[in-house]
Amino acid sequence: MPTTETTPYTDTGVADTGTPSVLRQPKAVWATAGASVVAFMGIGLVDPILPSIAGGLHATPSQVSLLFTSYFLITAVAMLVTGFVSSRIGGRRTLLLGLALVVVFAGLAGTSGTVDELVGFRAGWGLGNALFVSTALAVIVGAAAGGSSNAILLYESALGLGMACGPLLGALLGDASWRYPFFGTAFLMAVGFLCIAAFLKEQPKPARKTSLMDPLRALTHGGLASTAASAFFYNYAFFTVLAFTPFVLNMTPYRSGAVFFCWGVLLAVFSVAVTPRLQARFGSLPVLIGSLVLLAADVLVLGYGDHTTAVVCTVLSGAFIGVNNTVYTELALGVSDAPRPVASAGYNFVRWFAAAAAPFLAPRIEEWTDAHTPFTIAAATSAAGAVIILVRRNSLTHKTEEPLVRHATEDGVTAFAD
């Protein structure tokens, strides 16, 4: 990954790059960014149709929630493999392999006759998505015009757009049948496969091959380990909102899709446009701590409020999640001396386990107690993430020779990788 345009920064500093328009990009970059949108759509695609899937397959909420658990559990483990694979077969082949797996398993998911089959196919989908998403940023940075600032902005925009449109697509197609969103995703990813095959040339392989243990070795750094531990607790709250709230809202696919579309729009806007301004004014760590505390309060009110309050708090949580995602990624990629792909793999390996745990535990906790308790626990985990950042703040302020840089655009907005 090119590092010639990176420069060290202070917690409030901004580098001046003067890069050209982000819209002037090669076809290869647009093909990869477009496929990234669809890949990120897959995360929230099933949100509006979870109740429909439960009804169609005669499954309980706890059984259907395993769609998220299997997906993210495989994604977490795959983080140890993606660097190993891409450093040996190259970025282009890794992207195509990931896309091919998503096409196959998303299509098979739509044919499922039981919830167990659907959970299994969703796990295969998670493997393909991990291979694709973990490689896409490096490929975009390597192929983009205008430097890494434009590349990262494109990637963040793809993430936000995908997270916003996933629930909307799920609602539009899922209103007719819960199977159609899976077929729709398979079709869109097949288009992405063809575009990348046609427009993206093979990227240079890294000089040093990544081993399976490199991401785990990176976690021996105190700052990266603290970031990953805090993100683990935060992600439990994040995915309690994403995977459990649809059952609490109990709305039609259209209404639920509209709620999570608004949620995704706030996530995208705050991730790309608002967070950098907050960081420039207050610093990264105070912004992260404040956002985690506000998310905890929001989730607690969500769990104990009436239906309208729950809808408002669900949408509002997207703002805090957008802030947290951006700052956590900056910390993960800049706090240690590990290469950014390796640091990212180690960090994601830890945090995705919480994304797998929350959808599994939340409905079971409701069965054992009541509908309020899962949100109380989620609020507590978000607060725990803030406490870790506060206690370990000294280990999170050191930036290494290869930090993730704040890249200034013409209007002063900065962008980060996720």
Side-chain angles (χ1 to χ4, degrees), residues 15 41 49 90 103 140 145 152 162 206 221 224 264 282 299 312 335 376-377 404:
M41 286 169 60
I49 58 174
V103 170
I140 291 176
I152 291 171
H221 184 279
L224 183 60
F282 301 108
V299 170
V312 172
V335 75
T376 303
I377 294 174
L404 179 65

Side-chain angles (χ1 to χ4, degrees), residues 87 90 94 112 138 169 173 180 200 293 379 389 417:
S87 65
T94 304
S112 300
L169 178 66
L173 296 179
Y180 291 169
L200 179 65
V293 171
I389 296 296

Side-chain angles (χ1 to χ4, degrees), residues 27-40:
K27 293 178 180 179
V29 173
W30 288 119
T32 307
S36 297
V37 172
V38 182
F40 288 120

